[in-house]
Amino acid sequence: MIAIDKATYGMPASAAGQYIKKFISESDRSAETGRVYDNALSIFTEWAEDMPITAPMIRTFKTYLKNKGLAPNTISVYLSAIKQFLAYLVEKGAMLYNPAKEVKRPRIPRMHQRDALTAESARLLLNAVSRESAKGLRDFAMINLMLRTGIREIEVSRALIGDIAEKEGERILEIHGKGRDSKDSFVVLTPESYNPIKEYLVMRPDNDSDAPLFISVGNRAHGKLSTRAIRALISRYLMAAGLKSRRITPHSLRHTAITLAIDGGGGNNLIQVQQMARHTNISTTLGYFHEMKRIQNAAERAIRI
């Protein structure tokens, strides 16, 4: 049991903050989730300072996050972290009640908040990358890979050269996915996906199997690209291609791969698209199908006035 002066419903946030590290270390979560929760709880306790933790206070924090422009999904993660942290304090006897149970998470939009590129726009994006330098070869290979496989930014950052392997006669890239402790899935590398990577690796000074698949260039060469660097890089090319907008962002590359897979015939098999996208819940994949069919079969076109 955690030793504190007084077990109370409205524990001051500053007092609760000292138990965040212990909560993270004792939680059965991936390292990535632990980092996200640590960050969310640190922001929460720093914002709250000595305010007692109550349901109204958590609702005020929820409004604060919304006013900062955070997406509903992100706010939901913050509230999930708070709820589980306070449940931990109740379990340990540090609090008598978990007030976060009274606070609803924001409604997650049913439609995707980012648009996919059309096949033509995807080609415009790729054509915006000059392949006359090692950096250009890297950028083309990476963006091309993301457009053709739906690989996430975090998965690009984690990828190693040695993750390229063969399975049942096909070349694959083993994936260390979001929220995972190890490589437990893969994407298939078609010749169109793999050949630009091969061309880029020929120009690389370091091709050891344990080296990052995509490395930084310049004075700090050989280090893996961070997710922030990947997003900035993609954003620059989207701008150069005249495609960047509020709804077209680096995450649109993943939406593009999934949408084009459905549109190109993969839509004949829901399971195939789910496996490529590596969606844990098939309802996530189904959302893409419903959104596309809703537009293609719009009943509004039948209205005659």
Side-chain angles (χ1 to χ4, degrees):
M1 179 178 291
I2 293 174
I4 61 170
D5 294 337
K6 183 180 179 183
T8 176
Y9 163 39
M11 173 191 282
S14 55
Q18 63 186 303
Y19 303 115
I20 293 174
K21 299 298 182 185
K22 192 171 178 63
F23 163 67
I24 299 297
S25 67
E26 293 182 7
S27 299
D28 184 21
R29 295 181 181 85
S30 71
E32 184 68 25
T33 300
R35 284 191 290 271
V36 171
Y37 276 23
D38 189 2
N39 180 64
L41 292 170
S42 296
I43 290 173
F44 170 64
T45 53
E46 288 172 12
W47 169 85
E49 296 182 333
D50 291 328
M51 283 191 285
I53 302 176
T54 63
M57 182 268 263
I58 296 172
R59 291 193 190 97
T60 302
F61 179 65
K62 176 182 170 184
T63 301
Y64 163 76
L65 296 176
K66 183 178 179 181
N67 290 340
K68 282 190 67 177
L70 270 63
N73 276 310
T74 304
I75 296 174
S76 183
V77 170
Y78 274 73
L79 294 179
S80 177
I82 294 167
K83 184 175 182 179
Q84 294 182 49
F85 175 53
L86 299 186
Y88 168 81
L89 293 180
V90 170
E91 179 188 344
K92 297 295 183 181
M95 291 185 71
L96 297 178
Y97 177 72
N98 182 354
K101 293 197 296 186
E102 301 175 24
V103 181
K104 292 183 178 179
R105 297 189 197 180
R107 294 184 87 180
I108 306 301
R110 294 176 61 185
M111 290 183 62
H112 293 108
Q113 299 302 292
R114 300 292 179 263
D115 288 339
L117 300 173
T118 63
E120 181 181 4
S121 294
R123 288 191 290 270
L124 280 175
L125 176 59
L126 290 172
N127 289 337
V129 185
S130 171
R131 302 166 68 181
E132 297 181 356
S133 66
K135 181 181 181 299
L137 289 171
R138 179 202 66 185
D139 296 351
F140 183 90
M142 184 182 71
I143 293 173
N144 181 68
L145 174 67
M146 296 173 76
L147 285 169
R148 293 184 184 276
T149 65
I151 186 173
R152 300 177 176 92
E153 293 153 7
I154 184 65
E155 295 164 348
V156 172
S157 179
R158 290 173 172 172
L160 305 176
I161 291 177
D163 293 339
I164 298 175
E166 283 201 9
K167 191 179 184 70
E168 298 180 11
E170 292 286 341
R171 189 174 282 108
I172 65 167
L173 177 67
E174 295 177 339
I175 298 295
H176 186 168
K178 182 178 68 173
R180 305 291 184 176
D181 290 322
S182 60
K183 302 176 182 70
D184 61 354
S185 60
F186 64 88
V187 292
V188 174
L189 296 178
T190 63
E192 292 82 4
S193 299
Y194 175 69
N195 288 339
I197 296 174
K198 182 179 177 181
E199 186 179 1
Y200 158 60
L201 291 178
V202 168
M203 302 290 292
R204 280 270 298 270
D206 176 11
N207 285 329
D208 293 340
S209 62
D210 60 350
L213 181 56
F214 298 105
I215 60 173
S216 57
V217 295
N219 295 332
R220 294 184 296 170
H222 308 298
K224 74 175 183 179
L225 288 172
S226 66
T227 53
R228 179 179 295 182
I230 292 167
R231 283 192 292 271
L233 181 155
I234 296 170
S235 292
R236 285 197 297 271
Y237 286 115
L238 285 170
M239 288 283 289
L243 299 170
K244 187 77 170 68
S245 71
R246 182 178 63 84
R247 292 186 60 90
I248 297 293
T249 71
H251 192 64
S252 294
L253 272 61
R254 176 167 168 79
H255 287 317
T256 300
I258 297 169
T259 302
L260 293 181
I262 295 170
D263 204 34
N268 295 327
N269 192 324
L270 177 64
I271 301 298
Q272 287 177 348
V273 179
Q274 181 196 15
Q275 289 173 338
M276 184 203 79
R278 290 155 287 110
H279 287 145
T280 303
N281 192 329
I282 199 166
S283 64
T284 306
T285 317
L286 200 56
Y288 282 88
F289 283 76
H290 287 168
E291 203 167 299
M292 290 179 68
K293 294 299 182 184
R294 167 71 180 91
I295 295 170
Q296 292 170 2
N297 303 325
E300 291 89 340
R301 297 193 187 94
I303 297 173
R304 300 288 184 267
I305 297 176

